[in-house]
Amino acid sequence: MSLRLSTVILPYLRWHEGGRSTWTRAEQLGFHTAYTYDHLSWRTFRDGPWFGAIPTLTAAAAVTDRLRLGTLVTSPNFRHPVTLAKELISLDDVSAGRVTLGIGAGGTGFDATALGQEPWTPRERADRLAEFVPLLDRLLTEDSVSYEGDHYSAHEARNIPGCVQRPRLPFAVAATGPRGLRLAARYGQAWVTTGDPKLYENGTPEQSVQAIRGQVEKLTDACAEIGRDTKELDKILLTGFTPDRGRPLESLDAFVDFAGRHRELGFTEIVVHWPIADSVFAADEKVFEQIAMEAPAQLR
């Protein structure tokens, strides 16, 4: 089974001062998809430049032809399904059907309080996602939607002509808990994981592989509950958050070994962060480009 290689380009560069050239370079290097974070700000980048995900992806769509584009991930922390649906349909149109929506429950970072609310508990985030995803599915597939829920409402929301991709653009659902995995099984065209966060500080790569294997098994069970074959879902690993950290990008051989171990678990796509100097995503750019150009052939 071939393994696709994708990248995440953080939206911290001004478009005419490195932003545009990074996205076009991602296409030149042959990446399958270039994603970006859908945050209002993120961790150590909070006090520096940080641009909106949807406008950035729209600009990227205008300067690329083949590269798929997406979010990793969008969450309900500051999004509403009605307005998000309109933006996604527009982006899908501009890109001629090259958009994937990564979506998850969100966390307790800066996005969680930027609109003035108190951070939601894990249960509250799960409750909102459980309502958000089905409503967004309807908004992207029906011309007119009315809905009254516990957290979201829509009143005759029009979304004509709908997505270029039919019946809608694909969802890549980030989840590790039972409720999120059931959403991925029912609504996802892909599932996303970053591994087990409890292992990041003191775990080993071997323990991480075992933990991710357990996640895949739980996804398989969630699919079986609704009579769906888990092979129908792409399985995406967003790297950088396992105990391996940046080691897979230290050499071509290191990456091929890392990616091969996860391909054996059923993953169809590995996502690496575009190098950013003096950050947790620092990496040798020449090695990074070598991996982009040569690793996919070794992972077929």
Side-chain angles (χ1 to χ4, degrees):
M1 176 177 60
S2 295
L3 187 67
R4 297 191 295 267
L5 180 57
S6 298
T7 189
V8 168
I9 300 171
L10 269 60
Y12 74 103
L13 292 172
R14 289 185 179 274
W15 189 248
H16 298 291
E17 296 175 5
R20 172 178 178 149
S21 62
T22 302
W23 289 88
T24 56
R25 184 59 178 157
E27 180 166 82
Q28 292 166 359
L29 289 172
F31 282 109
H32 177 265
T33 304
Y35 300 95
T36 198
Y37 286 4
D38 189 12
H39 290 296
L40 297 175
S41 58
W42 190 77
R43 299 187 186 180
T44 57
F45 294 85
R46 186 183 189 186
D47 294 322
W50 189 272
F51 297 96
I54 301 298
T56 295
L57 291 171
T58 304
V63 298
T64 57
D65 298 307
R66 305 175 306 279
L67 185 69
R68 286 196 64 82
L69 307 164
T71 58
L72 279 183
V73 294
T74 294
S75 81
N77 267 351
F78 65 95
R79 294 290 189 182
H80 190 286
V82 170
T83 52
L84 178 62
K86 184 66 70 174
E87 292 185 356
L88 291 171
I89 287 171
S90 303
L91 176 58
D92 200 47
D93 182 69
V94 172
S95 68
R98 290 186 283 135
V99 178
T100 295
L101 178 73
I103 189 167
T108 57
F110 307 127
D111 295 346
T113 57
L115 299 184
Q117 76 272 30
E118 292 296 316
W120 300 322
T121 65
R123 180 170 182 172
E124 287 173 325
R125 293 199 302 271
D127 287 345
R128 286 177 178 272
L129 187 68
E131 194 172 307
F132 194 105
V133 172
L135 177 53
L136 187 61
D137 173 70
R138 288 188 59 196
L139 289 162
L140 293 174
T141 55
E142 300 175 21
D143 289 348
S144 178
V145 174
S146 292
Y147 171 82
E148 196 70 39
D150 293 331
H151 303 288
Y152 303 104
S153 300
H155 178 65
E156 297 182 359
R158 299 292 201 276
N159 283 305
I160 301 169
C163 295
V164 173
Q165 300 175 88
R166 294 292 181 173
R168 59 158 166 78
L169 54 82
F171 289 176
V173 181
T176 55
R179 295 177 69 188
L181 290 170
R182 287 195 292 270
L183 284 174
R186 183 169 298 278
Y187 294 99
Q189 284 65 56
W191 165 69
V192 183
T193 184
T194 58
D196 185 343
K198 295 190 295 291
L199 297 174
Y200 180 74
E201 292 292 342
N202 300 308
T204 67
E206 292 72 23
Q207 289 173 325
S208 177
V209 168
Q210 284 300 109
I212 293 172
R213 178 179 284 112
Q215 293 176 358
V216 174
E217 290 171 354
K218 291 176 181 177
L219 175 68
T220 301
D221 291 342
C223 287
E225 288 179 7
I226 60 171
R228 188 176 185 187
D229 188 342
T230 188
K231 293 180 181 178
E232 294 178 11
L233 276 78
D234 283 325
K235 298 169 187 65
I236 303 171
L237 176 64
L238 174 59
T239 65
F241 303 101
T242 65
D244 308 87
R245 303 195 186 187
R247 287 190 291 274
L249 294 181
E250 289 179 355
S251 71
L252 175 61
D253 288 344
F255 180 80
V256 170
D257 177 69
F258 171 86
R261 281 186 280 121
H262 290 85
R263 179 179 60 180
E264 292 174 0
L265 301 180
F267 282 87
T268 56
E269 185 174 342
I270 301 290
V271 185
V272 294
H273 288 83
W274 197 273
I276 302 174
D278 303 317
S279 79
V280 293
F281 303 124
D284 186 297
E285 292 187 11
K286 290 184 179 179
V287 173
F288 178 81
E289 293 202 354
Q290 181 188 23
I291 289 169
M293 292 185 291
E294 299 182 25
Q298 296 191 31
L299 292 164
R300 286 176 184 158

